[in-house]
Amino acid sequence: MVAVPIALILIFILLYFAFGSIKEALMVYSAIPLSAVGGVLFLWIRGLPFSISAGVGFIALFGIAVLNGIVLIEHFKELKHQGMKNIDELILKGTTDRLRPVLLTAAAAALGFLPMAISSSAGAEVQRPLATVVIGGLFTATILTMIVLPILFKVFDGKEFKKAKFKKHNSNTYLILFLLSTSFAFSQNSNPELDSLIGKGITNNKGLKAYQLQVDKYQANIKSAYTFEKTTIYYNYDQNNLASNSEPLKIFGAQQRFSFPTVYGAQKKVNVTEYEKEKANFEIQKNKLSLEISKVYYRIVYIQNREKLYFYLDSLYQNFSKASDRRFELGETNYLEKITAQAKFRQIKTSLSQIENDKKAQYDLLYSLIQTDEKIAIKNNSITPLFNSTADLSTAVHNKYLESVTNSYKSQIILEKQHWLPDLHLEYFRGSNKGLSQSLNGFQVGIGVPLLFSGNVSKAKVAQLELQSWEQQKLNEEQKREQFIQQKKNELAKYQEAINYYNQYGKKLSDEIIKVANLSYKHGEIDFFQYIQSLENATAIQVEYLDNVLQFNKTQLDSQYLNF
């Protein structure tokens, strides 16, 4: 929300200083929204969220993208100074001359970020969004810059621009709107504190590391598809096996058995689909961990807000208890008011102690999820409804897992059918004895035909039934998901109604009740018990709001992460 808009404004200022013209600076600046298209598109295709690292990627992308525009515009100006008058010929000549430099600038940067984009090692979750943004943005920026920028140059520099007759104040207005639109496009309702905690949890959580090792195991297992049976090396001496000199042969040989070649490809496909399924399951586990951390985080924020409210009540009742004691000593009030004030004061103290214990328990739970030695302190004391939804990303992750399971069953069926194909046998041997002048060579080639194939038929049928069973289960999962999402929408509407009431009326009523109650009690217009009742009513409105926001956020998180 800060770095990206500042970078955008600074880029425009530097372009203006470089060209000395708002017109030319705007033309080159057009590369930024053109590159942003690809960055956002590739993030969406890969199912990656807009994170801090993605924001840094956009900053790097914008810096690289404007270079193509500078290269192109400078060459247009150079050709114009050389006396080329026809604007169409100038654009064709300029774009042809600068096609290779533009492609080289984009390709060098994109290929440099490619290892980061496909990385799966430790820290890859930070690298992938950054590299994906740069590669995707350069892809669209390179294509669109070569099309859009020459058109803009013709519009701004040719007769078309002169016919437009823009007024000065209008052009300045368009400039401001252009800058604001590109700046605010990257501002979103993010929570850096929570994002940091989730990032640490994903990096440190031992359970998630175990899932990552499972993914690595299945990845390493892909190459095991090309596993062959052991080669048999043998020696044979048989007096029934005589050479031409009537002496027994001493035979050395080697045997090797192979499955039909297509079987290995089918086995590799099975291993690949198992890897994809485990990788999708790992993403689901990451979502679950993120959900648990988010819930604990918002629970702590809720507790801290409730603690702040009770601290305020504690100060009120503490002063009130002291005043009641003094008034009782002076005979201005009765004993019932005194002990009631003390009881309320002790009650608030007990509530604060319970809140403190609850907060410690939540912090312990947060430490167990993040598993870090660093001290964690939630600084956010502003409890607000969570509206920034990532449901589409979670849906994509869930769909990917379901599809990977389907592919796994389908590949298993193909493998079982491949087992019906014959096996191949190869053998080479050499025989000799003392009476022969040279060794006798031989070889044998054979196939293993599955004549007794009832077992193979049964296995293929089992695999087909497993796929059909899974397809029904998949439909059930999708139906449950739709029902779950609809249920959460109804719950959100319920809590949203309560939140809207508080924002429109409840907060004002609560503040007004406390204000009027303090003044009325001070002036003797209400007695002690009416005063306490007023404070409790005002407090109940605020506590109810906090409860509704907490439930709203929990429901929103369940909906976003598809926790059903």
Side-chain angles (χ1 to χ4, degrees):
M1 293 175 66
V2 177
V4 176
I6 289 176
L8 290 168
I9 294 170
L10 288 177
I11 288 173
F12 183 81
I13 292 173
L14 291 173
L15 287 173
Y16 175 74
F17 287 157
F19 290 106
S21 167
I22 291 181
K23 178 180 67 176
E24 294 177 356
L26 273 175
M27 282 192 288
V28 177
Y29 197 78
S30 65
I32 289 179
L34 299 180
S35 63
V37 170
V40 175
L41 179 63
F42 273 51
L43 281 177
W44 176 73
I45 290 174
R46 299 196 66 188
L48 298 174
F50 181 84
S51 59
I52 296 297
S53 59
V56 174
F58 275 109
I59 294 175
L61 168 64
F62 297 155
I64 301 171
V66 297
L67 293 178
N68 290 339
I70 294 173
V71 169
L72 205 54
I73 294 299
E74 283 295 330
H75 191 56
F76 286 162
K77 292 169 63 179
E78 181 182 349
L79 293 175
K80 188 177 180 180
H81 291 156
Q82 290 175 1
M84 189 172 288
K85 301 297 183 181
N86 189 301
I87 189 70
D88 293 330
E89 292 181 3
L90 184 148
I91 289 173
L92 289 173
K93 173 68 174 173
T95 50
T96 304
D97 292 346
R98 286 295 175 260
L99 178 60
R100 288 182 183 177
V102 167
L103 290 177
L104 179 61
T105 303
L111 293 176
F113 280 94
L114 185 60
M116 294 172 62
I118 61 177
S119 173
S120 60
S121 59
E125 63 276 358
V126 177
Q127 300 173 8
R128 281 198 297 268
L130 189 154
T132 300
V133 165
V134 174
I135 294 173
L138 288 177
F139 180 76
T140 57
T142 304
I143 297 174
L144 295 176
T145 298
M146 298 301 290
I147 299 172
V148 176
L149 197 55
I151 296 174
L152 290 177
F153 183 81
K154 182 175 181 179
V155 171
F156 275 79
D157 204 73
K159 295 180 180 179
E160 290 84 351
F161 180 71
K162 294 177 182 177
K163 291 179 181 178
K165 296 182 180 179
F166 292 124
K167 294 182 180 179
K168 184 177 181 181
H169 69 276
N170 283 343
S171 61
N172 290 337
T173 304
Y174 297 145
L175 171 61
I176 293 171
L177 290 174
F178 185 67
L179 288 172
L180 289 177
S181 63
T182 52
S183 299
F184 292 145
F186 298 95
S187 299
Q188 64 171 12
N189 185 19
S190 62
N191 190 331
E193 188 175 46
L194 176 58
D195 292 342
S196 175
L197 292 175
I198 291 175
K200 290 177 182 178
I202 291 174
T203 303
N204 300 328
N205 187 273
K206 303 297 186 299
L208 199 61
K209 287 183 178 179
Y211 280 105
Q212 178 63 63
L213 290 173
Q214 286 292 319
V215 174
D216 296 341
K217 181 189 79 172
Y218 279 96
Q219 186 178 19
N221 189 52
I222 292 176
K223 296 181 180 179
S224 69
Y226 298 98
T227 301
F228 305 103
E229 292 189 7
K230 295 179 180 178
T231 302
T232 302
I233 309 293
Y234 65 88
Y235 167 75
N236 185 5
Y237 177 79
D238 185 358
Q239 292 185 350
N240 294 310
N241 188 11
L242 304 178
S244 58
N245 59 2
S246 300
E247 292 291 330
L249 285 172
K250 299 175 182 178
I251 298 175
F252 291 89
Q255 291 179 342
Q256 182 64 57
R257 180 176 176 273
F258 300 93
S259 297
F260 201 79
T262 55
V263 173
Y264 298 106
Q267 183 63 58
K268 182 180 179 182
K269 183 66 176 178
V270 169
N271 294 351
V272 168
T273 55
E274 288 293 329
Y275 164 67
E276 293 294 336
K277 181 176 74 173
E278 200 62 29
K279 190 165 65 169
N281 183 50
F282 174 70
E283 293 299 323
I284 290 177
Q285 299 307 319
K286 277 173 60 176
N287 271 2
K288 288 183 177 179
L289 179 63
S290 301
L291 170 64
E292 292 176 8
I293 293 174
S294 299
K295 282 188 172 181
V296 175
Y297 172 84
Y298 285 110
R299 174 74 183 177
I300 292 175
V301 173
Y302 160 80
I303 291 172
Q304 291 180 165
N305 276 269
R306 189 160 183 170
E307 186 179 41
K308 186 167 60 175
L309 175 61
Y310 276 84
F311 271 129
Y312 170 70
L313 290 177
D314 178 64
S315 63
L316 285 180
Y317 280 118
Q318 184 176 15
N319 294 333
F320 190 75
S321 178
K322 291 178 181 178
S324 295
D325 290 343
R326 181 60 180 163
R327 291 174 62 191
F328 177 74
E329 292 173 0
L330 297 175
E332 297 177 359
T333 186
N334 56 37
Y335 182 67
L336 179 60
E337 181 176 326
K338 174 188 174 182
I339 61 174
T340 303
Q342 290 177 350
K344 286 294 180 183
F345 173 62
R346 295 299 175 189
Q347 184 181 359
I348 294 297
K349 282 292 185 184
T350 302
S351 298
L352 279 172
S353 178
Q354 291 174 336
I355 289 173
E356 181 64 26
N357 291 330
D358 191 11
K359 184 166 69 172
K360 288 180 180 178
Q362 294 301 315
Y363 267 106
D364 290 339
L365 180 57
L366 189 60
Y367 276 108
S368 70
L369 294 172
I370 297 178
Q371 299 179 3
T372 179
D373 296 329
E374 299 178 17
K375 182 174 177 59
I376 300 174
I378 305 300
K379 298 178 181 179
N380 181 16
N381 286 320
S382 174
I383 182 165
T384 54
L386 180 63
F387 293 111
N388 185 25
S389 176
T390 57
D392 291 341
L393 296 177
S394 297
T395 302
V397 170
H398 192 252
N399 286 338
K400 187 176 181 181
Y401 173 75
L402 296 179
E403 192 62 31
S404 66
V405 177
T406 302
N407 292 336
S408 177
Y409 281 117
K410 287 181 178 178
S411 62
Q412 191 64 44
I413 292 174
I414 294 173
L415 178 62
E416 292 300 336
K417 290 180 178 179
Q418 290 292 320
H419 285 155
W420 292 26
L421 297 173
D423 293 341
L424 305 179
H425 298 267
L426 299 177
E427 181 180 356
Y428 171 79
F429 53 88
R430 172 178 291 185
S432 64
N433 59 36
K434 293 181 180 180
L436 294 175
S437 60
Q438 60 181 8
S439 299
L440 301 176
N441 298 319
F443 68 89
Q444 180 175 299
V445 178
I447 60 172
V449 181
L451 296 177
L452 306 176
F453 52 80
S454 60
N456 289 341
V457 172
S458 298
K459 289 181 179 180
K461 186 176 181 180
V462 168
Q464 187 67 44
L465 289 173
E466 286 180 341
L467 174 61
Q468 293 174 2
S469 173
W470 165 248
E471 290 290 352
Q472 295 302 314
Q473 186 179 344
K474 179 182 175 183
L475 291 174
N476 182 54
E477 289 290 317
E478 292 173 344
Q479 187 175 0
K480 281 171 57 179
R481 182 179 66 191
E482 295 301 321
Q483 291 174 347
F484 173 82
I485 292 174
Q486 187 58 46
Q487 175 192 345
K488 292 302 174 183
K489 285 181 179 178
N490 295 334
E491 292 179 10
L492 287 172
K494 177 182 70 175
Y495 296 125
Q496 183 65 59
E497 186 175 354
I499 292 170
N500 290 340
Y501 162 77
Y502 178 82
N503 290 330
Q504 293 175 7
Y505 309 107
K507 188 176 187 305
K508 295 178 182 178
L509 286 174
S510 177
D511 294 341
E512 192 68 18
I513 288 172
I514 293 176
K515 179 181 176 182
V516 173
N518 285 330
L519 290 174
S520 299
Y521 183 71
K522 183 178 179 181
H523 295 150
E525 297 174 1
I526 60 174
D527 59 22
F528 165 72
F529 296 103
Q530 289 175 312
Y531 176 69
I532 288 180
Q533 186 65 41
S534 299
L535 288 182
E536 289 180 346
N537 289 339
T539 303
I541 293 174
Q542 297 186 36
V543 169
E544 185 179 1
Y545 168 72
L546 295 178
D547 290 340
N548 279 300
V549 174
L550 176 64
Q551 293 303 321
F552 181 91
N553 288 346
K554 288 173 64 177
T555 306
Q556 184 74 286
L557 289 170
D558 284 336
S559 178
Q560 288 179 15
Y561 289 101
L562 298 179
N563 183 35
F564 65 96

